[in-house]
Amino acid sequence: MTINLNKNQTIDLKKDDGHSVKRVFVGINWNQNTYSGEEDFDIDLLGGLTNESGKISDIEYLVNWLTYKQGIQWTFAKFYGDNQTGDDSQGVEFNGLHFDEGMELYTENIPASMCDFYVASYIHLGMDRMQNFGMIPNASMDIYDMDDPEGFHLHYDFSRDKKFESLAATVIGKFYRQSDGTFAFRAIGAGFEGGAVELYKHFGLDVR
């Protein structure tokens, strides 16, 4: 079952047996970019646990290439490191498909004191290189139940929104715990004109 997500749409991650999806795969992908300059071109995936103020209060709750490279290990997530050459053909394979970058989320290990797990994406050095999502056809995110990938699959094509064409960073969506303890995912699709710096600032982090 594949559900094509729209902006502001919410999907319950509860299965037919009443249990929530426990192991989630999140991957991003895009077609060959149309950028004709000489600079490398790379999209980075970011995940983060936020507090009640919607901020990532500590670097240990940030899941991305930077913290992965620093050797931070998470009980609630796993990150698949991306290369830094701009050639994303290495990527990661899941359910027979290629993804340029990915992570796993373990909902049972999310601390009760934390509120939401956000998923975002940005173009590495996009502002410096004057690159934006308008140069990337079919940029998209996929979410799978790792234990039943054919039974639960969400697909969000954030390249369809023309407002993103001039942007280099976006919050794709968030996982959040419902009152019964199960999880849901809400597609957000919020963009940032200032690229990665503004994206990190949105979550209370100062990364330059």
Side-chain angles (χ1 to χ4, degrees), residues 72-204:
I72 294 179
Q73 297 183 351
W74 308 273
T75 59
F76 57 86
K78 177 181 179 181
F79 185 82
Y80 295 98
D82 187 19
N83 64 85
Q84 292 183 304
T85 65
D87 175 10
D88 284 291
S89 61
Q90 297 175 21
V92 62
E93 299 291 323
F94 181 80
N95 198 38
L97 299 174
H98 170 83
F99 293 92
D100 294 291
E101 200 158 310
M103 67 174 66
E104 296 176 11
L105 174 65
Y106 315 127
T107 59
E108 286 190 322
N109 293 342
I110 293 179
S113 60
M114 308 303 290
C115 292
D116 305 318
F117 185 87
Y118 280 82
V119 177
S121 180
Y122 60 92
I123 301 173
H124 178 62
L125 298 179
M127 299 302 294
D128 295 340
R129 297 170 176 173
M130 293 184 290
Q131 298 168 340
N132 57 62
F133 286 123
M135 301 172 179
I136 311 172
N138 299 323
S140 62
M141 178 194 70
D142 288 272
I143 298 174
Y144 291 91
D145 177 357
M146 295 187 65
D147 298 314
D148 185 18
E150 299 299 331
F152 192 92
H153 173 208
L154 305 180
H155 179 78
Y156 180 50
D157 183 356
F158 60 92
S159 67
R160 290 184 303 176
D161 194 331
K162 292 187 178 297
K163 291 185 295 184
F164 291 163
E165 289 184 352
S166 61
L167 304 176
T170 177
V171 174
I172 301 172
K174 69 175 182 178
F175 297 90
Y176 63 94
R177 185 182 285 107
Q178 303 181 99
S179 59
D180 62 357
T182 61
F183 278 78
F185 179 82
R186 180 189 174 199
I188 297 175
F192 297 88
E193 293 184 354
V197 172
E198 287 299 316
L199 174 63
Y200 281 103
K201 183 178 179 181
H202 174 77
F203 290 114

Side-chain angles (χ1 to χ4, degrees), residues 58-62 66-74:
D58 194 284
I59 196 74
E60 67 180 278
Y61 298 127
L62 176 64
L66 295 174
T67 49
Y68 169 81
K69 187 171 60 174
Q70 292 174 15
I72 294 179
Q73 297 183 351
W74 308 273

